[in-house]
């Protein structure tokens, strides 16, 4: 395909998620061209543009949105800018793939969706974990009715030592809106609800803690380490736990940590208990996943195990899917309504943690 | 020791817990004699008395309480009778070891404690799991300060197929007061709170389900199987889950099932996350326990593993301890206040499940 016919993509925010995932994933597609990158840090966009052979670099994302013929932007900036930048891109007639979390406040998420609906442009939130092979399989198990009625769900990701220090915005509430819950909890909440068919959440009770971050302990490998410079800002959660009541009577419990005294390198899991069967996945990202299914046959306990690959290319699959949506050959796997529901639950967990009591959604 | 100097014990309720645990545990002690057994089912007490060489058998427990010189009774009857029988025994001047759960209603538990205080007799609830070697070790880890401030706790026992069918009173709310939560959840709630030093619970939110029991599925090995006779009564929970807020800001989550589509034969675990360390035990009853402790030393992750025996003699240790208390050489490990706290939380979980919202305690 000639350069002129390629889908022109811009990337706003040139941090690790842009350079490790979005930019290479777009560049792996033959009919896509990343034509511009923007980052508010002086020189950062230029550096990344040089490294990836991207023609144009900006410090002001509004200059990027003015690039002629731009069809898609990825929003890879700190969470606090997602809403403003997404809305500006949609208003400029550009389709948006926005990194998680959607926004730092539910009201912002609503404005994003309203703008997408009004402009008719695509907006998809980067729930990249839905594209994991085990999660796709589990969704199919549920769709196929192998679980019957799902009444109890658990989802969690407990990192032992994984506080992101990237430029420290992750741990600065003004820029991030929240800590471990918004950063990684969002994925497990979304996966659990999606696999279960997005039953409506009615109420949440939650609690958040910050027992490691304020002292600069348990720093992870993501991003730059500025904790030991004495300039650290840490006013977000490093552990969150929640109990979520769903309209169909089911309950979902969620737990997440950036840092905690747990075994090995931590753990992540999803479990679904249904009337006809149960299933779970528990894995580390550098190993194979196993999806285990439990039921009964002929009055005996009956187990299945499905081995799938580790799937470290989820962003690649997600971005290829989003480009298919832009081309009109697919519908976004992550819908407006689902993204709003997730944003509402996250907002509710933080409110509940602050109030110290259950809140209705 | 001559027969006359032995501590005379009576056992009320001659079901499985009496014949598998209490009676043999008392009989293993050289200075104790089980002199009477009572059971409301005609012929049952006589049968058990014959089997264990117990001199006297009654169908009315009040006749047992009138036996001369009785110093101790074990209450092993269905839950609904615990309060009445405990209070009657205390009023008769007899020390009481009462099986869990303490009572089917919190108000009954309060009356039991009031009576014990007024009569000056001992009352201990049979929290036999506290006597497990791994649990004793974990309590010591906490007491020694190895966890720092404990802020997040999890406790659970998920049986895959373990609905008790003993005479069916376990599954009949009028006799049991509740299902899996009262039967096995009580242990995990008690262990978690005890290890953490019994922080005061402030509020609970919970949910209960009955997805297996009503159809007679997933029957366990405990007790007689009358499910398949068509006479089954099942109006209690077979799965319960709860989120418990504690006064010190910590959270405890609890999950329990008699039956659920989980892996292998189920799982049971306790986990504690603290500022200085975390620890967990996860085990099956027929294997060794491992207590795992996680912390950090010299900027590295630091793990310990403590192997302890499976401890299937917890009732023996508990009953020897209770006899020591009766003799005045020990103080009850399970106190009035702790037992009332556990009863209050259980009561709150059922209320919350019924109301579909968090309740203050």
């Amino acid at each position: 395909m000639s350069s002129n016919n390629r889908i022109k993509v811009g990337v706003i925010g040139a941090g690790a998620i842009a350079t490790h995932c979005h930019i290479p994933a777009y560049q792996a597609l033959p009919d896509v061209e990343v034509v511009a990158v923007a980052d508010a840090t002086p020189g950062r966009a230029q550096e990344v543009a040089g490294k990836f052979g991207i023609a144009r670099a900006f410090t002001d994302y509004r200059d990027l949105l003015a690039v002629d013929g731009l069809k898609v932007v990825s929003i890879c900036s700190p969470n606090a800018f997602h809403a403003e930048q997404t809305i500006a891109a949609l208003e400029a007639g550009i389709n948006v793939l926005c990194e998680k979390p959607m926004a730092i406040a539910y009201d912002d998420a609503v404005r994003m969706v309203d703008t997408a609906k009004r402009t008719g442009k695509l907006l998809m939130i980067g729930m990249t974990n839905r594209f994991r092979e085990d999660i796709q399989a589990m969704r199919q198990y549920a769709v196929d009715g192998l679980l019957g009625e799902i009444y109890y769900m658990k989802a969690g990701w407990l990192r032992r030592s994984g506080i992101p220090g990237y430029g420290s915005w992750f741990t600065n509430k003004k820029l991030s809106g929240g800590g471990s819950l918004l950063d990684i909890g969002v994925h497990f909440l979304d996966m659990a609800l999606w696999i279960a068919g997005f039953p409506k959440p009615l109420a949440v009770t939650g609690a958040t803690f910050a027992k490691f971050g304020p002292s600069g302990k348990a720093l992870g490998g993501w991003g730059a380490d500025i904790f030991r410079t004495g300039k650290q800002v840490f006013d977000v959660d490093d552990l969150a736990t929640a109990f979520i009541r769903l309209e169909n009577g089911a309950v979902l419990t969620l737990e997440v940590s950036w840092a905690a005294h747990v075994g090995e390198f931590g753990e992540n899991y999803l479990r679904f208990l249904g009337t006809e069967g149960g299933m779970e996945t528990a894995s580390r990202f550098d190993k194979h996943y196993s999806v285990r299914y439990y039921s009964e046959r002929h009055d005996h306990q009956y187990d299945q195990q499905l081995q799938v690959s580790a799937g470290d290319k989820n962003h690649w699959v997600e971005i290829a899917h989003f480009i298919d949506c832009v081309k009109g050959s697919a519908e976004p796997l992550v819908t407006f309504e689902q993204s709003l529901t997730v944003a509402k639950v996250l907002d509710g967990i933080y409110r509940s943690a602050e109030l110290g009591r259950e809140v209705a959604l």
Side-chain angles (χ1 to χ4, degrees), chain A:
Chain A
M1 191 179 286
S2 80
S3 179
N4 274 354
N5 293 329
R6 285 184 178 167
I7 293 172
K8 292 196 170 92
V9 172
V11 175
I12 297 174
I17 200 74
T19 58
H20 292 2
C21 302
H22 285 250
I23 294 170
Y26 283 120
Q27 290 188 334
L29 297 170
D31 47 359
V32 172
E33 185 175 11
V34 181
V35 299
V37 60
D39 196 290
T41 303
R44 174 70 185 165
Q46 287 71 22
E47 182 193 334
V48 169
K51 186 175 170 189
F52 288 91
I54 298 168
R56 311 191 62 177
F58 306 98
T59 48
D60 190 326
Y61 79 91
R62 287 165 295 195
D63 295 331
L64 179 142
L65 295 180
V67 167
D68 193 42
L70 212 58
K71 192 107 180 183
V72 169
V73 295
S74 269
I75 308 288
C76 297
S77 54
N79 307 341
F81 307 119
H82 287 186
E84 172 196 319
Q85 294 171 349
T86 293
I87 289 169
L90 293 167
E91 296 284 10
I94 304 168
N95 301 293
V96 174
L97 176 63
C98 179
E99 263 302 328
K100 36 58 51 175
M102 188 174 189
I104 62 172
Y106 177 66
D107 290 349
D108 288 341
V110 171
R111 289 192 301 119
M112 291 163 77
V113 165
D114 287 347
T115 307
K117 285 181 176 168
R118 181 166 45 75
T119 60
K121 293 288 131 187
L122 292 175
L123 166 62
M124 194 173 95
I125 308 305
M127 300 317 318
T128 189
N129 279 264
R130 285 200 201 177
F131 296 87
R132 278 167 42 181
E133 286 186 26
D134 58 333
I135 301 306
Q136 290 274 329
M138 289 173 93
R139 170 65 183 151
Q140 199 58 49
Y141 273 65
V143 167
D144 290 347
L146 288 168
L147 285 87
E149 176 206 342
I150 297 170
Y151 57 99
Y152 185 39
M153 294 179 265
K154 294 174 63 179
W157 185 2
L158 297 175
R159 282 188 191 161
R160 184 165 186 176
S161 183
I163 297 180
Y166 185 73
S168 100
W169 72 259
F170 271 102
T171 68
N172 181 336
K173 192 175 179 185
K174 209 175 129 193
L175 294 169
S176 65
S180 58
L181 180 64
L182 280 193
D183 183 37
I184 57 178
V186 59
H187 284 302
F188 284 74
L189 174 61
D190 179 80
M191 284 188 279
L193 290 174
W194 181 59
I195 289 167
F198 262 92
K200 187 181 172 191
L202 291 186
V204 299
T205 188
T208 59
F209 303 92
K211 302 296 188 187
F212 287 78
S215 57
K217 289 195 296 182
L219 197 73
W222 188 261
D225 178 3
I226 68 158
F227 279 80
R228 283 156 221 271
T229 65
K231 294 183 196 158
Q232 66 266 23
V233 174
F234 195 102
D235 57 0
V236 295
D237 51 288
D238 54 31
L239 186 143
T241 177
F243 182 102
I244 303 159
R245 292 184 192 279
L246 304 164
E247 191 176 48
N248 62 0
V251 165
L252 164 62
T253 65
L254 177 70
E255 60 177 348
V256 58
S257 77
W258 271 343
H261 290 301
V262 293
E264 303 297 328
F265 302 100
E267 61 192 60
N268 68 75
Y269 66 87
L270 287 162
R271 171 180 280 174
F272 300 82
L273 296 182
T275 50
E276 301 303 318
M279 66 177 175
E280 62 187 345
T281 183
S283 51
R284 290 203 1 84
F285 288 139
D286 57 355
K287 293 187 182 168
H288 267 66
Y289 293 104
S290 290
V291 176
R292 293 164 196 267
Y293 172 75
Y294 308 110
S295 186
E296 58 177 13
R297 297 282 188 280
H298 313 301
D299 279 338
H300 288 88
Q301 295 177 351
Y302 170 85
D303 300 354
Q304 286 181 6
Q305 191 166 329
L306 184 74
Q307 303 290 357
V308 298
S309 82
D312 55 355
K313 292 290 180 194
N314 303 323
H315 266 96
W316 276 248
V317 180
E318 172 191 280
I319 280 171
H321 165 73
F322 188 66
I323 292 296
D324 285 344
C325 295
V326 170
K327 289 196 255 179
S329 59
E331 292 291 320
L333 183 70
V334 184
T335 71
F336 294 160
E337 290 69 25
Q338 292 167 354
S339 297
L340 284 179
T341 296
V342 168
K344 182 180 270 190
V345 173
L346 294 172
D347 193 74
I349 293 170
Y350 279 125
R351 268 194 299 135
S352 169
E354 200 175 319
L355 296 168
R357 62 166 174 79
E358 190 173 54
V359 298
L361 297 180

